[in-house]
Amino acid sequence: MPIYLDYNATAPVPAEVADAVSAALRECPGNASSIHAFGQRAKALLDEARTAVARLIGGDPSEIVFTSGGTESDNLAVRGVAESPRDDARPAVITTAIEHEAVLNAVKALGRRGWPVTILPAGPGGVVSVADLAEALDARSDGPPALVSVMLVNNELGTVQPVKALAAMARARGVAFHTDAVQAVGRIPVSVRDLGVDLLSMAGHKFGAPKGVGALWVRRGFTLQPQSIGGRQERGRRAGTENTPSIEGLRVAAERALRLLPAETIRQTALRDRLERGIIETVPGTTVNGDAAARVPNTANISFEGVEGESLVIGLDLEGIAVSTGSACSSGTLEPSHVLRAIGLTPSRVESAVRFSLGPDTTDAEIDRVLEVVPAVVSRLRARGRSRG
């Protein structure tokens, strides 16, 4: 059987989620904005999903804005805050060098249009420094920034950022704070109240919902400029008829993630640690990238000396094992990982890095099989490289 270890790219849809989506497609044809019985049934599904998603992150249902996924949620947060009317002023936006492109490129686009932009570095472990944010905030002599955006969990390294401390620092200065929690929600406990953020993005397909559905949590009373203009759906924050079947899938996936989270945290941590330990012990010239402690349970990013990461991904795929070199959204580009470069890894370590990401369906037997296959594939690729050299 194929082995899937690319949950950070997307998680398989569980049967209970697929069944819920199918039932909604068949049994709930109405538009949630319609006042007849069919429409009110669709609206009831949205309300139930809003409650489930809010419960997963410790928010209130009225604070949930349904979107098409993480990218739209990030763009709505970043651009929605920056472009909110404020006397023609264009205050600064602060983010980090290890953000997902959905945030990083949105911020850079604002920069090209006149917003001052500050990109914070990350340390060698892939964790942003609270002191660096303090320095960036205090360096602004032209007034407070419009927004600070720092991801909660990095998608390539799995490192957890000190968002609670960073958000408190921004809040003390009256600056809005957004966190991209796409790789965190469903993998670690997330509480928007405890984090103290104003906006939080999530993508359903990272924890078992269909692709193309997500949410932005917006703190009650916080205003932002809509990026999709049209009707009054989502309390005027995101126009367009809601994707009721996929949102129903998001509801079931959120309930499932909350139910599984305590046990899966322990189980996946043990599996990941055994995977890393086995690779380090059996494959010479391997290094785990990222902070060993401050990371989610399911992610291991490992560099294999003398092997191109893409070649290893292909070699493992031929053996029925799916892994990746990093963000799926950047696949197909010739540029090496901006995240691994940002934390100062050498070009050889960047180019030889492979990400293993586990999920609820990952088994002990699958890890055994991976530990059996990886040394042989790496040895074969290294031998091929030496013969070519």
Side-chain angles (χ1 to χ4, degrees), residues 302 304 307-317 321 323 352 354 356 374 377-378 381:
I302 303 175
F304 294 80
V307 175
E308 288 185 354
E310 289 188 358
S311 297
L312 182 52
V313 169
I314 294 169
L316 291 176
D317 187 50
I321 300 169
V323 297
S352 66
V354 169
F356 301 79
V374 167
V377 173
V378 171
L381 291 172

Side-chain angles (χ1 to χ4, degrees), residues 24-384:
L25 282 167
R26 295 192 311 270
E27 302 166 10
C28 192
N31 186 317
S33 297
S34 300
I35 62 172
H36 51 58
F38 292 97
Q40 291 309 293
R41 173 55 184 149
K43 183 178 183 302
L45 289 186
L46 296 187
D47 291 343
E48 292 166 7
R50 239 181 272 281
T51 297
V53 172
R55 187 177 296 123
L56 181 59
I57 61 171
D60 187 87
S62 66
E63 299 170 315
I64 300 298
V65 180
F66 290 124
T67 68
S68 64
T71 294
E72 185 188 351
S73 295
D74 285 340
N75 272 257
L76 177 55
V78 172
R79 296 174 58 189
V81 172
E83 295 176 356
S84 293
R86 53 184 85 232
D87 300 325
D88 295 327
R90 292 191 173 185
V93 178
I94 299 175
T95 190
T96 82
I98 61 170
E99 298 298 307
H100 188 278
E101 287 89 346
V103 167
L104 201 54
N105 288 342
V107 170
K108 290 178 179 178
L110 289 172
R112 291 191 293 271
R113 294 167 53 196
W115 276 266
V117 168
T118 299
I119 307 293
L120 301 177
V127 177
V128 175
S129 164
V130 177
D132 284 342
L133 177 59
E135 182 178 346
L137 288 168
D138 294 340
R140 307 259 21 130
S141 59
D142 52 351
L147 179 72
V148 174
S149 181
V150 180
M151 64 190 346
L152 184 51
V153 171
N154 181 262
N155 50 304
E156 296 192 29
L157 297 167
T159 48
V160 181
Q161 306 304 314
V163 164
K164 183 176 181 178
L166 295 167
M169 183 173 296
R171 186 170 59 250
R173 292 163 170 80
V175 178
F177 195 100
H178 163 252
T179 188
D180 174 345
V182 164
Q183 295 291 348
V185 174
R187 301 214 172 107
I188 59 174
V190 174
S191 167
V192 290
R193 308 300 182 202
D194 182 61
L195 290 173
V197 298
D198 297 294
L199 305 124
L200 179 144
S201 301
M202 70 178 77
H205 74 104
K206 303 299 185 180
F207 55 91
K211 302 173 188 68
V213 65
L216 176 67
W217 174 83
V218 183
R219 179 177 53 77
R220 182 179 296 174
F222 191 91
T223 59
L224 70 167
Q225 183 73 19
Q227 298 300 301
S228 177
I229 308 301
R232 296 293 301 168
Q233 294 93 345
E234 300 303 299
R235 297 174 182 257
R237 297 170 295 192
R238 195 266 192 181
T241 301
E242 293 92 347
N243 182 356
T244 308
S246 290
I247 291 171
E248 171 68 354
L250 181 63
R251 174 188 69 79
V252 177
E255 292 173 345
R256 179 176 184 268
L258 191 61
R259 184 173 69 247
L260 296 179
L261 190 57
E264 281 299 306
T265 298
I266 298 170
R267 194 184 73 87
Q268 290 182 38
T269 299
L271 288 176
R272 180 207 61 201
D273 291 348
R274 186 159 72 84
L275 173 68
E276 288 181 347
R277 187 168 58 251
I279 289 176
I280 296 299
E281 290 175 354
T282 59
V283 183
T286 50
T287 308
V288 176
N289 301 316
D291 191 285
R295 57 180 173 155
V296 286
N298 80 314
T299 305
N301 189 297
I302 303 175
S303 289
F304 294 80
E305 181 183 330
V307 175
E308 288 185 354
E310 289 188 358
S311 297
L312 182 52
V313 169
I314 294 169
L316 291 176
D317 187 50
L318 293 173
E319 299 288 343
I321 300 169
V323 297
S324 69
T325 55
S327 173
C329 297
S330 299
S331 101
T333 69
L334 297 177
E335 291 294 319
S337 163
H338 74 276
V339 171
L340 301 186
R341 284 183 293 154
I343 66 173
L345 298 190
T346 63
S348 61
R349 275 184 64 181
V350 172
E351 293 167 4
S352 66
V354 169
R355 181 185 68 187
F356 301 79
S357 49
L358 290 58
D361 296 325
T362 306
T363 66
D364 282 282
E366 289 178 334
I367 297 301
D368 290 339
R369 172 63 178 161
V370 172
L371 291 175
E372 175 187 333
V373 169
V374 167
V377 173
V378 171
S379 179
R380 184 166 65 247
L381 291 172
R382 285 174 173 169
R384 185 182 304 165

